[in-house]
Amino acid sequence: MEILELYSGIGGMHWALKASGVEGKIKAAVDINPTANSVYKHNFPEITLLSRNVQSLTPKFINKLSVDTILMSPPCQPFTRNGLQEDINDERTKSFIYILSILPELNVTRILIENVKGFEQSKMRDLLIGTLEKCGFLYQEFILTPTQFGVPNTRHRYYCIAKKPPSSFNFEAGSLKTELPYRQNANDCFEISLILDQNEDLASYYLGDKILTNYLDTTDIRYSTSKNTCCFTKAYGRYVKGTGSVYSDLPEVKSEMYNKLSDFDPRSNSYLQLAHQLKIRFFTPREISRLMSFPEDFTFPKSTSDKQKYMLLGNSINVKVVAELIKLLQ
């Protein structure tokens, strides 16, 4: 594969290509986010990384790159259940619409697209499928989550893979699938003890008094023996409710302490003292990157703050899931 990586972010698609074992080369990566680009360049200094709007890429420019494959994860905010769901009317869809408009002019024979669950019900999805059919692509849509692949993180996402004849899939393509063809779901996920930081100073990650007092009842607490975590969003670390799981240092058998909190007024010292005994903290960026299947040699520049790391990871992909899809695309 000769690949153009659009909306390249922190390089999730690139890492997925490496993890897949499929022979391929990233000819160029494109993203407009300077912080994400600094992380990409830090990990892949040899790659041509274009810091520019996708809409600035002309068909002539793309064809001159001699690419036959596009991997992309367009902005998902227009389709998220917590957003305004403005769909194709959202300004952030304009670059994706542009790419679809020039697709008939591109010498591209393979495409992989990732987006948020909910995209499959959007007008943008209808435009995507209509364009793929117009251009003669065979395609298959999926809704998949890492827990199906043995990874203890729930992150349902929409995926579409497409090929142009004479290439074809080695399975019967059809309506949206919720598992990969010829692959059984993993029987079990590994314990999150395997992704925990052992040497890092974790003091700054423990939940503060304000969170413990006001939001502890909305947190999803996990333990070292847990085999799942909730989806992490870009607001993780700044907010608690709905942004991802938190971790307790206690053995799970002692989690009954949490139930005792209801005996106290959340504004009382007794409540706060007991809450502190739960030893609850945010997962570190490194731990989240492991849950998203990034390898150990993936790193952030030293100048990247934890807030930036959480935001970038929240916008990224699960490497293992996409790697499996790239295998189907070859």
Side-chain angles (χ1 to χ4, degrees), residues 280-298:
I280 301 173
R281 65 172 176 83
F282 289 110
F283 284 95
T284 69
R286 168 56 68 183
E287 290 167 343
I288 293 177
S289 69
R290 289 170 180 150
L291 286 169
M292 296 180 71
S293 304
F294 281 84
E296 287 302 298
D297 51 345
F298 165 75

Side-chain angles (χ1 to χ4, degrees), residues 129-192:
I129 297 305
T131 303
L132 292 177
E133 291 177 344
K134 175 184 175 182
C135 295
F137 281 90
L138 306 173
Y139 62 88
Q140 178 62 57
E141 300 171 281
F142 299 91
I143 297 290
L144 302 170
T145 182
T147 54
Q148 295 173 271
F149 302 84
V151 179
N153 181 236
T154 296
R155 193 178 182 85
H156 288 92
R157 288 294 184 268
Y158 168 92
Y159 302 93
C160 180
I161 55 175
K163 287 183 179 182
K164 258 188 180 179
S167 295
S168 61
F169 297 114
N170 59 357
F171 59 89
E172 185 176 350
S175 59
L176 184 143
K177 299 181 185 296
T178 54
E179 58 183 34
L180 293 187
Y182 308 130
R183 188 185 192 283
Q184 296 295 318
N185 289 346
N187 293 327
D188 205 358
C189 295
F190 59 80
E191 293 184 355
I192 63 173

Side-chain angles (χ1 to χ4, degrees), residues 36-170:
N37 285 344
S38 69
V39 178
Y40 193 107
K41 201 66 178 176
H42 176 73
N43 286 277
F44 300 112
E46 75 285 1
I47 298 299
T48 299
L49 176 60
L50 305 175
S51 181
R52 55 196 286 188
N53 194 304
V54 167
Q55 290 167 267
S56 70
L57 306 176
T58 65
K60 181 179 179 180
F61 177 85
I62 293 175
N63 287 333
K64 196 172 181 180
L65 292 172
S66 298
V67 296
D68 56 29
T69 304
I70 292 179
L71 306 179
M72 58 175 158
S73 181
C76 64
Q77 294 91 338
F79 318 104
T80 56
R81 58 187 175 85
N82 293 328
L84 297 176
Q85 296 183 327
E86 294 187 333
D87 205 333
I88 58 174
N89 295 319
D90 192 305
E91 282 295 315
R92 290 167 290 193
T93 64
K94 300 307 180 188
S95 59
F96 189 19
I97 292 173
Y98 170 74
I99 289 298
L100 295 181
S101 74
I102 65 171
L103 187 58
E105 302 175 61
L106 304 182
N107 301 322
V108 171
T109 58
R110 296 183 185 90
I111 297 173
L112 187 154
I113 297 166
E114 184 265 6
N115 213 285
V116 70
K117 186 177 184 295
F119 179 88
E120 73 280 7
Q121 299 174 337
S122 69
K123 293 180 181 178
M124 189 71 238
R125 177 266 175 192
D126 294 342
L127 179 59
L128 164 65
I129 297 305
T131 303
L132 292 177
E133 291 177 344
K134 175 184 175 182
C135 295
F137 281 90
L138 306 173
Y139 62 88
Q140 178 62 57
E141 300 171 281
F142 299 91
I143 297 290
L144 302 170
T145 182
T147 54
Q148 295 173 271
F149 302 84
V151 179
N153 181 236
T154 296
R155 193 178 182 85
H156 288 92
R157 288 294 184 268
Y158 168 92
Y159 302 93
C160 180
I161 55 175
K163 287 183 179 182
K164 258 188 180 179
S167 295
S168 61
F169 297 114
N170 59 357

Side-chain angles (χ1 to χ4, degrees), residues 239-253:
Y239 303 99
V240 176
K241 186 176 181 180
T243 64
S245 302
V246 292
Y247 174 72
S248 172
D249 289 338
L250 294 182
E252 190 164 2
V253 293

Side-chain angles (χ1 to χ4, degrees), residues 10 33 35-36 38-39 234 236 238 285 300-314:
I10 57 177
N33 185 319
T35 308
S38 69
V39 178
K234 65 180 183 179
Y236 191 74
R238 290 178 291 141
F300 288 95
K302 290 183 178 180
S303 60
T304 314
S305 68
D306 276 355
K307 178 181 176 182
Q308 290 172 323
K309 292 175 184 177
Y310 286 135
M311 291 185 72
L312 293 168
L313 287 166

